[in-house]
Each structure stands twice: as C-alpha cells, then as structure tokens.
Amino acid sequence: AEGTLGPDTVGGSIVANQPLALQLGNLTVGGNVISIGGGVLSTSAEDFRNFPIKDNTVHGSLVLHGWRGGWFGVIRNHVDGTVIVSRNVSLSSDTGPGADEDSTEVQTNSISGNLICFGNFPDAQINALDGGLPNVVGGKAIGECAGLTH
C-alpha cells in the first residue's frame, strides 16, 4: 500500500555517510546499520526532516551518530548487537526554530548487546504519549539510556 515500508531484506550492512535523512522501516538487515553525520543545519520549518528507524531486525549493531534535523527516533527494533545513539541534535520543530521536544525517542526496542546514548539533544527518551515502552537490553544501558530499560 502507498506509504508502507517493507518487508525487505538487506543481506549485508547499511552504511550512510552524511545522509539528509534516513527512513528505515520493516527491514531485516544481515549486518550492521551505521549512519554518520548528515541532516540539515537550518532551523526553519520548511527544512524539517525526520529520521525514523522503526520496526527493523538488525543482526549486527546499530550506530547513529551526529545527525542534525527535526525528529529522530529508534523505535520497535530488534538488534542482535549493540545500539549507539550519539550526538544527534534536533534543531527545529515542524513549526520552526527550536528543538522538537519529542525527538530522540529510543523506545520499545529489544537489544541483545548494550544500549549506549550520549550527547543527544534533546536527551534520549521514552515518549509514552506515542505508545513508547521501555527497552529490553541484554547487556548494559549506559548514558542517557541508562533509565530507559525494564
């Protein structure tokens, strides 16, 4: 149906260098998902970008570092490795300058390794109003994500 992602399979890894945005949904990834940098520097509502990583199975690790834009979230994923969410910044909301206070949702994930979050703005959070639940983590939850687990 229009607007529906997946299901799709990527046998190896997904590596994004300076992506404007990344929208991964309903994927099975045989390797890692790594995104470094990217986004926009603008604070205008016209340049508002979303960065949703939702409903995926990642057999490696998930690393999301240094993206700037509007809304960012890691939601309902199953990750066999470690998840690192670091230095991602919301610069705008859908109404204009200023951080989207809903941004940096890290919720309802099942992670076999560690969950490490640091340097994000706003801090990584669970948004219960969006149906977010604590993450289940097999390893350690560190930094901003230390309190975001069962």
Side-chain angles (χ1 to χ4, degrees):
E2 185 176 333
T4 300
L5 296 175
D8 291 305
T9 300
V10 175
S13 294
I14 295 173
V15 178
N17 183 17
Q18 305 293 322
L20 181 59
L22 195 61
Q23 298 183 8
L24 302 179
N26 204 10
L27 285 177
T28 298
V29 180
N32 302 307
V33 174
I34 300 170
S35 177
I36 304 297
V40 296
L41 296 177
S42 171
T43 60
S44 76
E46 292 80 32
D47 290 330
F48 184 80
R49 297 280 187 264
N50 285 324
F51 195 110
I53 308 296
K54 296 181 178 180
D55 304 307
N56 302 293
T57 298
V58 178
H59 290 296
S61 291
L62 174 62
V63 178
L64 306 171
H65 174 79
W67 184 80
R68 294 177 177 267
W71 180 91
F72 175 91
V74 179
I75 301 170
R76 294 182 306 271
N77 299 287
H78 175 84
V79 180
D80 290 339
T82 288
V83 173
I84 301 172
V85 178
S86 61
R87 303 205 187 284
N88 300 290
V89 177
S90 176
L91 299 172
S92 63
S93 69
D94 55 2
T95 58
D100 184 335
E101 294 302 319
D102 273 355
S103 189
T104 324
E105 292 180 1
V106 179
Q107 60 192 30
T108 323
N109 297 291
S110 174
I111 301 163
S112 297
N114 299 314
L115 174 58
I116 302 166
C117 304
F118 62 91
N120 299 292
F121 183 77
D123 285 355
Q125 63 181 305
I126 294 172
N127 185 343
L129 296 176
D130 284 347
L133 299 171
N135 301 285
V136 176
V137 179
K140 300 212 181 278
I142 299 169
E144 296 164 8
C145 287
L148 305 185
T149 64
H150 280 288

